[in-house]
Amino acid sequence: MFHLQPAGTAVERSAAAAAPRRTLPATMSDQAPPYAPLPLVSSLPPDPNSTSTPNPTLVLPNPAFPNKRKRTGFRRKVPSGSPAAPAASPAAPSQPPPPASAADDIIVINREPTAEAVTALTAGFPADSLTDEEIEAGVVSDVGGIEQVNYILIRNHLLCRWRETYNSWLAKEPFATLIPPHCEHLLNAAYSFLVSHSYVNFGVAPAIKERIPKEPTRPTTVVVIGAGLAGLATARQLVAFGFKVIVLEGRKRCGGRVYTKKMEGSGRSAAGDLGGSVLTGTFGNPLGIVAKQLGLPMHKIRDKCPLYRPDGSPVDPEVDKKVEITFNKLLDKSSNLRSSMGEVAVDVSLGAALETLRQTDGGISTQEEKNLFNWHLANLEYANAGLLSRLSLAFWDQDDPYDMGGDHCFLPGGNGRLVQALAENVPIVYERTVHTVLYGGDGVQVVVNGGQVYEGDMALCTVPLGVLKNGGIKFVPELPQRKLDSIKRLGFGLLNKVAMLFPHVFWSTDLDTFGHLVEDPRRRGEFFLFYSYATVAGGPLLMALVAGEAAHNFETTPPTDAVSSVLQILRGENIISTIKV
């Protein structure tokens, strides 16, 4: 008889989900309206006071991503059986061609502007308009005109070229021959913006690192508070720009919620990511670029995810397929409901809308179908790092247009390898918990535990939202009211994990994930998903996830009880025999 005795365990309680997608305001009606999805066809209205030829309409084909389904946490393949109908790509609105005289003014850098627009989208740029930061930087003199069209084409081209040569330093000069003389100022503006905002020429490639000055070239000192990924990336760029930087970190390690722990037991070891563990999209993900610069392989999380009943027996694939299709259909209906409700949708939760639609739809009837539907709800709560009852129907998916496309991946050896690379040569002082920041016209003073004071010209605070919410840092004078209001309104999610190292792999190595159903809706997120790290961690490691309401209840669960519960699930009547190699 095989005994499921873990060789080592770790229980991680995290105030942010491993794949946080959206934040949630404490009061839904207080949240600012979302940005409307940015279309790829932009009408440039003529100046009523001008007698010149009207500005053209820039028409770019819609670079739709193939069914990314960001709205779900783990993206599963539709179970075997008759295939689901593919999602139709939205058609670009029909627009008249630009006048010939105006079209002549649009520069041609290459023959693939649509592909380059996709690259810009994955990096967070709108396809055919400027970001607020670009407008503030004054990259063009005429917002919405031909100059903007040409600037965007140049910006996208620069960005795309660097994404292809991420191990090299992107210089501006080679592009001068591609740009007409009257657009040289746009090349200068685009290059300066992309470099200064770290869209290009960042990371840890030797060609990038050799450009970092040995000594500060500016008289300005910046105190960075927090050595998580945000603090490390910021400090690294500031050093590259010539600033004198010091990073203060309260813990004995850097990385924040990204923490790779070496787990050992019974002669086995494995690298377990107890914090953030998944690179969610690799097309525009800066961490994906850093991984490539380091030559690290990325393991695509396979979408094969069998689900198991509470007794451990596998779910019927046909029933699984039916419920998943119904779930996605109800999500689509919730979008239509939102549109019809108008402003009223602000005060309606996504959870309430889905439950109402489920009851009226009638497609979910048996107990197993309800269990499966609840599994998808748990997966959705995992994706959004929040309770569906606290997610606004109006705003829950407002950031979908800025989703980074591409595969979701594990990094063999853990994401701590990225942290280690980003921390290289960054001046970090550990075990310095900041409790007061005094700031004014003559600079800043940052006071840490023990009373030690660090002085600088400015401070950059990268601590978690929870630290700001509970007043862990006192600011003198107090922060502006608009920032205090934002801190109060913003919310953050919760995800818990149980990591277990076993003597050997007893599950199929062609799986990266498998799911577990429960009958109690209140416990739907309790160990609902298991990640297998056996192929990337160096040992037989399983990670059980706890999301939604179950994650909150889990906060008071003793670690030994948590491990016992997971083992009981894995000892289910048939689960071992059905997933065992």
Side-chain angles (χ1 to χ4, degrees):
M1 178 178 179
F2 176 69
H3 294 283
L4 277 175
Q5 179 59 44
T9 61
V11 177
E12 177 71 5
R13 306 184 193 280
S14 173
R21 306 300 180 98
R22 304 160 186 89
T23 50
L24 173 69
T27 304
M28 296 177 191
S29 58
D30 289 339
Q31 185 173 6
Y35 294 106
L38 297 172
L40 293 177
V41 179
S42 173
S43 297
L44 308 177
D47 183 349
N49 299 319
S50 173
T51 58
S52 61
T53 303
N55 288 336
T57 296
L58 173 63
V59 181
L60 289 178
N62 190 346
F65 292 106
N67 198 21
K68 289 181 297 179
R69 303 210 58 78
K70 174 178 178 177
R71 56 190 175 183
T72 56
F74 173 72
R75 301 178 296 181
R76 301 176 63 230
K77 179 186 291 184
V78 177
S80 59
S82 56
S89 298
S94 176
Q95 295 286 341
S101 58
D104 290 342
D105 292 332
I106 299 178
I107 63 175
V108 177
I109 304 177
N110 64 65
R111 299 298 179 183
E112 299 181 352
T114 301
E116 295 189 344
V118 172
T119 298
L121 278 171
T122 64
F125 287 101
D128 64 347
S129 59
L130 304 177
T131 64
D132 291 341
E133 290 79 9
E134 287 176 304
I135 295 175
E136 184 178 348
V139 295
V140 297
S141 59
D142 179 20
V143 175
I146 282 289
E147 188 181 45
Q148 173 177 306
V149 174
N150 287 330
Y151 167 85
I152 290 173
L153 290 170
I154 295 171
R155 177 200 70 195
N156 293 355
H157 187 65
L158 292 174
L159 185 63
C160 192
R161 293 288 79 78
W162 189 73
R163 288 295 174 91
E164 295 173 352
T165 59
Y166 48 79
N167 279 321
S168 304
W169 181 269
L170 183 76
K172 176 180 62 176
E173 290 72 23
F175 297 92
T177 58
L178 303 176
I179 309 299
H182 71 279
C183 290
E184 183 179 355
H185 67 292
L186 298 179
L187 173 61
N188 294 335
Y191 184 83
S192 176
F193 182 85
L194 291 174
V195 172
S196 63
H197 288 72
S198 305
Y199 285 101
V200 301
N201 294 340
F202 66 84
V204 296
I208 306 297
K209 293 195 290 185
E210 68 183 17
R211 296 277 184 148
I212 299 176
K214 303 299 182 184
E215 299 292 336
T217 59
R218 300 173 185 254
T220 306
T221 298
V222 182
V223 180
V224 178
I225 305 172
L229 285 180
L232 292 177
T234 297
R236 197 171 187 87
Q237 286 301 106
L238 289 174
V239 170
F241 294 156
F243 290 92
K244 181 179 180 181
V245 176
I246 184 168
V247 182
L248 304 178
E249 169 57 44
R251 292 171 169 168
K252 296 181 180 181
R253 61 170 182 84
C254 57
R257 72 176 191 87
V258 176
Y259 177 42
T260 302
K261 177 181 175 61
K262 183 178 181 181
M263 300 179 63
E264 297 177 293
S266 299
R268 305 304 299 267
S269 66
D273 275 320
L274 301 187
S277 56
V278 179
L279 296 183
T280 52
T282 54
F283 287 164
N285 194 329
L287 291 177
I289 291 177
V290 172
K292 292 177 183 178
Q293 290 174 335
L294 292 170
L296 301 179
M298 287 179 282
H299 173 80
K300 176 186 175 181
I301 300 176
R302 292 164 287 191
D303 55 9
K304 181 180 179 181
C305 181
L307 301 182
Y308 295 90
R309 300 185 180 101
D311 65 0
S313 59
V315 169
D316 182 286
E318 289 300 318
V319 179
D320 190 358
K321 181 188 69 175
K322 171 193 172 184
V323 174
E324 181 162 352
I325 292 174
T326 299
F327 173 77
N328 290 329
K329 180 179 69 175
L330 294 184
L331 271 182
D332 292 336
K333 285 186 175 182
S334 72
S335 296
N336 297 333
L337 178 64
R338 170 174 58 191
S339 300
S340 65
M341 293 177 68
E343 294 182 0
V344 179
V346 172
D347 295 313
V348 176
S349 74
L350 175 62
L354 286 175
E355 177 58 21
T356 299
L357 291 170
R358 182 191 70 80
Q359 293 179 6
T360 56
D361 178 82
I364 304 296
S365 56
T366 68
Q367 184 61 49
E368 178 163 271
E369 290 173 347
K370 292 177 182 178
N371 294 345
L372 279 165
F373 188 80
N374 281 324
W375 187 92
H376 286 288
L377 295 180
N379 196 30
L380 191 59
E381 289 180 318
Y382 164 50
N384 290 275
L387 301 174
L388 296 185
S389 60
R390 297 294 304 139
L391 288 175
S392 168
L393 174 63
F395 303 132
W396 75 276
D397 58 351
Q398 61 180 302
D399 64 339
D400 274 7
Y402 309 102
D403 185 19
M404 291 180 289
D407 297 329
H408 288 200
C409 297
F410 291 142
L411 192 68
N415 290 331
R417 303 174 74 181
L418 301 178
V419 172
Q420 183 179 8
L422 291 173
E424 181 184 7
N425 295 327
V426 174
I428 307 172
V429 184
Y430 293 100
E431 297 185 86
R432 296 295 188 273
T433 303
V434 173
H435 61 74
T436 305
V437 177
L438 301 98
Y439 65 98
D442 55 350
V444 298
Q445 291 182 318
V446 180
V447 187
V448 302
N449 54 311
Q452 187 175 0
V453 178
Y454 292 85
E455 296 185 342
D457 298 284
M458 61 185 73
L460 198 150
C461 187
T462 69
V463 300
L465 177 61
V467 174
L468 299 176
K469 277 183 170 293
N470 65 22
I473 298 178
K474 180 181 180 182
F475 293 90
V476 181
E478 185 59 273
L479 293 174
Q481 192 61 43
R482 62 183 178 85
K483 292 191 176 182
L484 294 175
D485 291 343
S486 296
I487 291 170
K488 181 180 179 180
R489 288 199 306 269
L490 282 171
F492 52 86
L494 186 66
L495 176 76
N496 281 306
K497 298 180 177 182
V498 176
M500 295 177 296
L501 178 65
F502 291 92
H504 59 84
V505 175
F506 61 86
W507 58 94
S508 176
T509 53
D510 68 348
L511 295 177
D512 290 323
T513 58
F514 57 90
H516 166 247
L517 308 184
V518 296
E519 294 187 351
D520 185 351
R522 296 168 299 179
R523 298 173 54 202
R524 64 192 180 206
E526 185 176 285
F527 313 123
F528 81 102
L529 185 66
F530 286 78
Y531 275 123
S532 166
Y533 287 83
T535 57
V536 296
L541 182 68
L542 273 182
M543 199 87 70
L545 303 187
V546 188
E549 183 180 351
H552 290 268
N553 297 333
F554 189 85
E555 290 290 285
T556 57
T557 301
T560 53
D561 292 352
V563 172
S564 297
S565 296
V566 175
L567 292 178
Q568 184 176 359
I569 291 172
L570 294 174
R571 289 190 182 108
E573 182 176 325
N574 296 311
I575 191 167
I576 294 177
S577 61
T578 54
I579 66 174
K580 187 176 179 180
V581 177

